[in-house]
Amino acid sequence: MADTQRPLSPHLQIYKRQVQMMTSIVHRATGIALAVGSVVVVAGLLHLAAGEDSFDHFRGIIGSPVGMILLFGWSWALFYHLCNGIRHLIQDAGAGYAIPQFVRSSWLSIAGSIVLTVLVWAYVLTAGGAA
Amino acid sequence: MTARDPRNPLKTARGLGSSHSGVGHWWTQRVTAAALVLLGVWFVATVLCLLHADYATAHAAVARPWNALLLIAFVLTMFWHAVLGLQVVVEDYVHTRWKEVVLLVAIKFLAVLGALASVLAVLRIALTP
């Protein structure tokens, strides 16, 4: 692959920055982040299965400041991947390919992910105390 | 295909294309994505409901038949979708063949371990009185 003598197609740095480029890159990045975050889901289930002390230990870790910051990041990644994933499914069905629609739906994914994250964390913080 | 096969070679290539596996990967990624829209929203809602739950409440919630079933469905679909997604990323950016293969296999091993551990944990919670 790397030893090819043929000209390569222009890479990212050649293009003007556009929102639909960012949504695409961030979709991959959040996908990778969420795959890593699946460890927390597995850990939670294993600790819950292992008994009360084990579960309280897990709650202590995810309720700590670092744990909460990580959960905040993962929650945004999840909502972004969800919103933009729905956008991709609609596009896969053949809709929304006109450039103005494409740009608008990009911004919708971003806005949707922020709104959902704010709503969820407003609920978490008003429901009181650390998770 | 034998030499006497009257069919045009294009006949066997069509639908599979240069990847030799057709649209199976692409389609499965979309089907698991659609399932995860529903299961993911359910999972987030369930976790939010258990926000300050103590051990007994959380244990009882996961042990409920519908919750246990949907939780297993969520975890299996999530790891399946993650494997398909990470596979595309690795294939796109890792250009040394042996590193690519090692990464792809390692991802599959880890995902299967994670999925099995989760299912065993849910079953243990659901089946312990």
Side-chain angles (χ1 to χ4, degrees):
Chain A
M1 174 74 200
D3 60 354
T4 179
Q5 295 299 308
R6 287 173 287 124
L8 297 167
S9 57
H11 202 51
L12 282 178
Q13 56 269 28
I14 225 85
Y15 296 105
K16 194 180 90 179
R17 283 219 186 122
Q18 302 169 102
V19 65
Q20 61 271 41
M21 180 169 133
M22 287 315 296
T23 47
S24 177
I25 294 167
V26 174
H27 195 73
R28 284 202 163 184
T30 49
I32 297 167
L34 289 169
V36 175
S38 66
V39 169
V40 180
V41 177
V42 179
L45 288 172
L46 287 175
H47 280 92
L48 185 59
E52 187 158 9
D53 293 344
S54 177
F55 183 65
D56 287 342
H57 177 66
F58 175 76
R59 286 210 313 169
I61 292 171
I62 63 164
S64 71
V66 176
M68 297 281 273
I69 290 167
L70 283 173
L71 281 184
F72 181 82
W74 269 315
S75 67
W76 173 76
L78 177 69
F79 289 132
Y80 176 81
H81 206 82
L82 176 70
C83 291
N84 203 49
I86 293 171
R87 170 174 169 259
H88 276 308
L89 285 176
I90 294 168
Q91 287 168 348
D92 289 336
Y97 268 108
I99 291 171
Q101 293 175 318
F102 209 79
V103 172
R104 192 170 54 227
S105 60
S106 286
W107 285 111
L108 261 177
S109 291
I110 297 168
S113 69
I114 295 171
V115 168
L116 285 172
T117 310
V118 168
L119 282 177
V120 160
W121 282 89
Y123 173 74
V124 170
L125 296 175
T126 51
Chain B
M1 196 167 68
T2 63
R4 305 180 63 132
D5 196 325
R7 285 176 301 180
N8 188 300
L10 196 59
K11 168 81 178 156
T12 46
R14 207 165 255 160
L16 292 176
S18 59
S19 70
H20 309 297
S21 61
V23 293
H25 179 286
W26 186 92
W27 179 246
T28 311
Q29 199 176 21
R30 268 67 192 173
V31 172
T32 50
L36 281 171
V37 172
L38 305 172
L39 291 169
V41 169
W42 169 83
F43 178 75
V44 170
T46 305
V47 170
L48 287 177
C49 286
L50 292 172
L51 202 56
H52 298 292
D54 57 10
Y55 169 76
T57 318
H59 196 278
V62 172
R64 240 169 261 140
W66 274 104
N67 284 351
L69 172 69
L70 289 173
L71 206 47
I72 289 174
F74 169 71
V75 168
L76 291 180
T77 317
M78 175 186 72
F79 276 110
W80 195 355
H81 187 78
V83 164
L84 295 174
L86 292 176
Q87 183 189 339
V88 175
V89 175
V90 169
E91 286 170 349
D92 277 358
Y93 302 127
V94 181
H95 299 312
T96 312
R97 185 62 176 155
W98 71 267
K99 286 182 193 163
E100 184 187 345
V101 172
V102 167
L103 259 177
L104 289 175
V105 173
I107 287 168
K108 285 215 171 76
F109 280 4
L110 286 174
V112 169
L113 271 183
L116 290 178
S118 308
V119 170
L120 281 174
V122 174
L123 288 179
R124 191 171 160 201
I125 294 162
L127 302 179
T128 351

